[in-house]
Amino acid sequence: ISDLGIGVGSRFYPYSLIKYFWIVYTPQVKTLHLKLAARTLSEIEIQLADQSPSPIRNYLLQQIPEMEGKEESFTSIFTRLFRL
């Protein structure tokens, strides 16, 4: 996460291409989700592992809107439960 955007692996997403974000934070899950303006890949899920989501959320709020109330998708739950 930088002043210009968010890097995931070898890909970089400038804030101008991110419509909004949300964080799923439960005892089992800590993920950052990005909804992109591009139509080819519309949503990205980033595992936060042992990182605290609070500083990430506070920083991103200065850059892009947050979609409140979003929860983990069925696909994410299914993938996590069956370790696909």
Side-chain angles (χ1 to χ4, degrees):
I1 298 176
S2 74
D3 290 341
L4 302 175
I6 299 173
V8 181
S10 62
R11 304 283 315 232
F12 184 77
Y13 303 95
Y15 292 122
S16 62
L17 294 181
I18 302 172
K19 290 172 80 173
Y20 55 83
F21 79 96
W22 70 96
I23 294 177
V24 175
Y25 184 45
T26 68
Q28 301 87 7
V29 179
K30 284 196 296 187
T31 55
L32 168 63
H33 297 261
L34 305 174
K35 177 68 173 173
L36 303 178
R39 295 181 184 194
T40 55
L41 181 63
S42 63
E43 189 178 306
I44 297 172
E45 179 180 313
I46 303 167
Q47 300 295 321
L48 296 179
D50 60 350
Q51 295 182 26
S52 173
S54 294
I56 294 169
R57 178 181 177 270
N58 291 337
Y59 181 77
L60 289 178
L61 283 172
Q62 299 172 34
Q63 306 296 332
I64 50 179
E66 178 181 28
M67 175 61 76
E68 295 184 46
K70 289 276 279 182
E71 297 182 11
E72 189 176 20
S73 70
F74 174 75
T75 305
S76 295
I77 293 169
F78 184 82
T79 302
R80 180 173 45 81
L81 290 176
F82 293 100
R83 303 203 194 298
L84 299 175

